[in-house]
Amino acid sequence: MISPCKSAERPAGRHDLVFVNPQGWRAMLDPHGDLACDPLVLYWAELGWPTIRRRALPSETDGLALGLPLPPSAGKKRLSFLAGLDDIVAVARPPSLRETHASAPPCWRPTLDRLEELALRHSAPARVFGSLAWESMTGLDYVTASSDLDLLFETRPETDLDRLVADLAAIETEAPMRLDGELMRADGAAVNWREFSAGASELLVKCIDGATLLDRDRFISGAPRS
């Protein structure tokens, strides 16, 4: 189960789950009249399901920018909303590997077990976003035969990132699905694990407020973006 915290306890960052109260949800739908006719979207908040924090557009200066990917059965649409800050009731990190295990296709589960062992060995907790996360949180059919497993490794200054991505690549060679995802520092700065694994001297570093190139060694050392 996801363990949300009250929104006042921490700001919402990239990949964070954001829970909106039903009244605020209906207000969010007002600018999207057609969505009010979609039962799945209309009752989303009442079912206790989250949205995801997204990067705000330059024109979105008020409220919190949220996204909602619908399942393939609903056209796989990606919806965008602005929520009033007073309507945010909780924020949570994405689900852990263990929390998504039961919702994964049976052929994925041995890989999830290996990834959980990897995360423990490297002291880099692994979380899941993307299709498997949404299926585990809602019970709706998000995962398809072509789905990737999207991983978020929460790294620490002492994490050996080169060893971590090498071990991750080794697991992928025997996995039934593609492993995608990011390495995220405690400050929220994140890089794609494949790009890091490729050994580029500069990395595209993503944060909730944008993306920039940063020297590889500076990312590893925890240097701020500048």
Side-chain angles (χ1 to χ4, degrees):
M1 293 290 291
I2 298 297
S3 300
C5 61
K6 292 181 180 179
S7 59
E9 294 177 11
R10 60 184 293 274
R14 285 186 71 242
H15 299 299
D16 273 356
L17 306 172
V18 180
F19 296 79
V20 181
N21 65 42
Q23 182 178 354
W25 185 258
R26 289 189 292 272
M28 282 170 46
L29 294 182
D30 282 346
H32 310 274
D34 55 328
L35 294 179
C37 299
D38 185 330
L40 176 62
V41 177
L42 181 61
Y43 296 108
W44 194 271
E46 293 183 24
L47 291 167
W49 295 343
T51 61
I52 191 167
R53 180 78 160 96
R54 64 173 174 84
R55 188 180 305 160
L57 299 175
S59 59
E60 296 175 325
T61 56
D62 296 320
L64 196 65
L66 304 176
L68 175 61
L70 296 181
S73 61
K76 216 173 181 180
K77 299 175 185 176
R78 294 183 177 272
L79 308 180
S80 298
F81 302 106
L82 273 180
L85 296 180
D86 291 341
D87 295 321
I88 306 303
V89 294
V91 175
R93 297 299 288 141
S96 67
L97 282 165
R98 181 162 299 187
E99 288 170 324
T100 63
H101 194 281
S103 300
C107 65
W108 284 26
R109 293 173 189 170
T111 299
L112 295 184
D113 292 337
R114 292 187 65 190
L115 290 168
E116 189 167 3
E117 293 172 3
L118 171 72
L120 288 171
R121 188 165 68 250
H122 288 277
S123 298
R127 298 188 176 275
V128 179
F129 61 102
S131 59
L132 179 57
W134 288 103
E135 181 151 336
S136 71
M137 292 184 293
T138 66
L140 302 175
D141 293 329
Y142 276 87
V143 178
T144 68
S146 61
S147 291
D148 298 339
L149 174 59
D150 297 298
L151 300 163
L152 184 66
F153 287 93
E154 298 177 332
T155 66
R156 303 174 182 179
E158 63 271 21
T159 304
D160 186 338
L161 298 182
D162 288 302
R163 186 71 259 166
L164 172 61
V165 297
D167 290 347
L168 181 57
I171 290 175
E172 187 183 42
T173 62
E174 299 178 359
M177 68 302 214
R178 185 177 187 271
L179 304 182
D180 203 356
E182 299 178 347
L183 312 173
M184 178 178 280
R185 303 187 317 198
D187 64 357
V191 298
N192 182 278
W193 81 266
R194 291 180 185 281
E195 183 179 348
F196 187 92
S197 179
S201 59
E202 283 192 318
L203 302 168
L204 182 64
V205 179
K206 297 181 180 180
C207 289
I208 192 59
D209 59 352
T212 189
L213 290 174
L214 185 66
D215 180 83
R216 177 189 181 87
D217 292 335
R218 286 175 58 80
F219 176 80
I220 294 173
S221 69
R225 299 179 305 144
S226 59

